[in-house]
Structure formats: structure tokens, C-alpha cells
Amino acid sequence: MNKKIIPDSELIINSDGSIFHLHLTPEQLSDKIIVVGDPGRVDMIASHFDTQDFNVSSREFHAIGGTYKNKKILCLSHGIGADNIDIVMTELDALANIDFTTRTVKDTFRQLEIVRIGTSGSLQPDIALGTPVIATKAIGFDGVLNFYAGRNEVCDLAFEEAFCKHVKWNPLFCKPYVVDADNELVERIGADDMLRGNTIAAVGFYGPQGREVRLPLAEPELNNRIESFRHNKLRITNYEMESSALQGLAKLMGHKAMTVCAIIANRRNNDATPNYKTAVADLVRTVLDRI
């Protein structure tokens, strides 16, 4: 049977053989990947590397590849938001599993291991500033996964139903989806010193996370309902903006992914730390050692 050829319009390859947005070539890809939002944070993480093999920047996508304690690691920034994760995950998977010469899917699947390190705001008053929280379940308010076939097969539908009922979900919002992180990755990276949480990936920073600046909110009580939600003794722990698309697309593609964030603000106590960089730096060193 003839293989499907992916047209130029669907997967753009640059004239130098690199993928369109990330500007990485298949030869530069590592199986172990750390992703972060801030392009500047890539330099901080790579400063721990024993060797640095390349440094590539394109828009908000900054990548440094190298080795750390004999492990080949790629560190890549994705910018802010789930829409960027759609780009990053699709292009990383293409680098691993598409033959750029024939534009066909390779016969042998290559699995990637992707850990996102980020910052986050707590939705529970008892979660202390600086706590590393793993998105054991990521609750996507972004809608990205709803555009892909197989969405229901990788999602926790019972959790979704219970959540929408409890918070009186506004039908004008994107339908939430709930995706688990890779369990083996969670146990290895999280060990016994990271909080297992359930993280909302919001579609914005202000109104979509209940922040009111000048514009009034459509659902001003939403965060109160989220805080009180329980399903099988699970509660929602924190907000960020990328975990759901990362974990959802990884599940659909067959990769391993998880998100861990340092809590730098508590939305329920109206508290924040100006020294969050220290918590992030500690988290980076831990992830590098365990990935």
C-alpha cells in the first residue's frame, strides 16, 4: 500500500532542512526534552549542561541542545499559551517520526519524553508559595484537543462531566478536557517531594483566570466554584496555560509528557513571592537530575 505523502502546505520544511517554526533539524532532536515558556529561561537551564552542541532561536522558540551527566537533552521555549503548544508538539513529533525526504511517516515510531517546567498560581489556600506542583491531571480551558480525532479516548470524561456540572460551565466557553500526565514520568520526576495536583490550563492570563482589571468578568464566581470542586477526593490545585495541550497531544501521538510548576502566587490568599526565580532554579536542577 502506498504511503500518504504529507503536502508542503500541511508540513512546511525550511530550505535548510529545518522544521518551519522551531528551525530545528531531525539530527538536532533529543529523546529527552525540557520545555519552558520563557525563551530566556533556556539559557539558564542550559548553563547546567556539560556540553552545548547548538543554539537556535526563531520568534519565541529558543532551543539549546547538549548533554547533562551523559544524558542528551534538548531545552526548548514555547512561549505563552496552548496554541503555541500545538505548534511545538506537532513539530517535535514531525522531527521524530516524519521522513523529511519522502514526507511520509517513518516505519519505526520514536517516543519522546517531554517535561514542562513552569510557574503557576495556586487555587487552594493551603498550598504554600514555592511548592512544586505536578499537573497529574491537566484541565484544558483552551479547546485545542477538541480539534483532534480521538480526543475522548485519551480524556477523563467522568471528571469532565462532574467538573462542568459543579462549576455551572458557561456554554459560550470552550468545552474543557481533562488529560492525565504520563504516570511513569510523574513518579520518576516527582519522586516523593513534589505535590501531585490537578491543574487548569487557562486560555488567557487575565479574564480567563478570573483576574478583573478594567473589564468585568462574565463568570465572576467561577474561581470560587473551582476551589470547592471535588471528584473522587481530587481537587483543582492551580492555574497555568499550557499543560493540557502538552499532555493531550502527547497522549494522542504516543509520547510521554508532564508539567510541573513552581507556585509563585496564591490566588485565594492574594499572596505572591518576588523571589520566584529561586524556586524555579531549584526545580530545574531537580528535573535535570531525574529526567
Side-chain angles (χ1 to χ4, degrees):
M1 188 171 93
N2 292 332
K3 286 187 174 183
K4 172 187 173 182
I5 297 176
I6 302 168
D8 291 359
S9 61
E10 307 304 282
L11 181 69
I12 301 172
I13 299 172
N14 300 315
S15 58
D16 63 356
S18 65
I19 197 75
F20 185 52
H21 294 92
L22 304 185
H23 279 254
L24 293 173
T25 64
E27 295 73 27
Q28 292 172 318
L29 185 66
S30 301
D31 291 339
K32 296 179 182 292
I33 304 169
I34 294 174
V35 295
V36 293
D38 182 1
R41 196 169 289 162
V42 173
D43 291 305
M44 184 270 281
I45 294 174
S47 70
H48 296 284
F49 288 2
D50 301 315
T51 64
Q52 293 187 23
D53 302 326
F54 61 86
N55 189 325
V56 176
S57 289
S58 174
R59 307 184 195 187
E60 59 265 66
F61 309 112
H62 179 200
I64 297 178
T67 58
Y68 176 81
K69 295 184 178 179
N70 297 317
K71 295 179 288 191
K72 187 179 178 183
I73 298 176
L74 170 67
C75 185
L76 169 69
S77 65
H78 51 66
I80 297 175
D83 50 343
N84 278 9
I85 297 296
D86 181 61
I87 291 171
V88 168
M89 286 300 298
T90 300
E91 295 196 0
L92 286 175
D93 179 72
L95 289 166
N97 293 301
I98 302 295
D99 185 318
F100 279 21
T101 301
T102 63
R103 305 187 67 88
T104 60
V105 176
K106 294 178 180 178
D107 294 328
T108 302
F109 174 71
R110 180 180 178 184
Q111 185 181 62
L112 304 176
E113 185 176 288
I114 306 165
V115 178
R116 167 172 143 69
I117 300 174
T119 55
S120 181
S122 171
L123 283 166
Q124 299 295 337
D126 61 295
I127 300 178
L129 299 180
T131 301
V133 178
I134 293 174
T136 308
K137 288 185 183 293
I139 301 97
F141 285 8
D142 53 85
V144 165
L145 212 66
N146 298 336
F147 287 88
Y148 289 94
R151 171 248 197 251
N152 284 359
E153 282 68 41
V154 300
C155 289
D156 187 334
L157 302 182
F159 194 111
E160 290 176 12
E161 182 180 1
F163 177 82
C164 288
K165 182 178 180 180
H166 179 84
V167 303
K168 301 175 183 176
W169 189 254
N170 188 329
L172 293 178
F173 298 165
C174 294
K175 180 176 173 56
Y177 60 95
V178 180
V179 188
D180 290 345
D182 180 82
N183 186 64
E184 187 277 329
L185 209 51
V186 167
E187 292 306 308
R188 176 163 31 108
I189 302 295
D192 58 359
D193 53 5
M194 294 184 188
L195 179 66
R196 271 60 166 172
N198 304 289
T199 301
I200 289 174
V203 72
F205 184 78
Y206 290 100
Q209 293 188 36
R211 289 183 171 94
E212 188 171 336
V213 181
R214 195 170 71 84
L215 295 178
L217 301 174
E219 295 286 348
E221 293 301 313
L222 182 57
N223 277 355
N224 290 332
R225 297 177 199 142
I226 290 171
E227 181 187 341
S228 65
F229 170 75
R230 299 293 184 274
H231 177 67
N232 294 335
K233 299 182 179 180
L234 300 177
R235 62 178 181 167
I236 307 298
T237 49
N238 58 310
Y239 263 130
E240 52 86 76
M241 294 178 63
E242 294 87 16
S243 59
S244 55
L246 179 78
Q247 294 174 192
L249 291 171
K251 287 273 187 186
L252 288 176
M253 294 171 175
H255 302 301
K256 302 170 71 171
M258 63 164 279
T259 292
V260 58
C261 292
I263 297 297
I264 66 170
N266 191 301
R267 299 293 307 286
R268 312 313 290 158
N269 296 335
N270 295 320
D271 197 10
T273 174
N275 300 316
Y276 72 90
K277 291 184 179 180
T278 300
V280 172
D282 291 342
L283 185 54
V284 163
R285 286 189 288 268
T286 299
V287 172
L288 281 169
D289 284 337
R290 295 175 182 175
I291 194 170

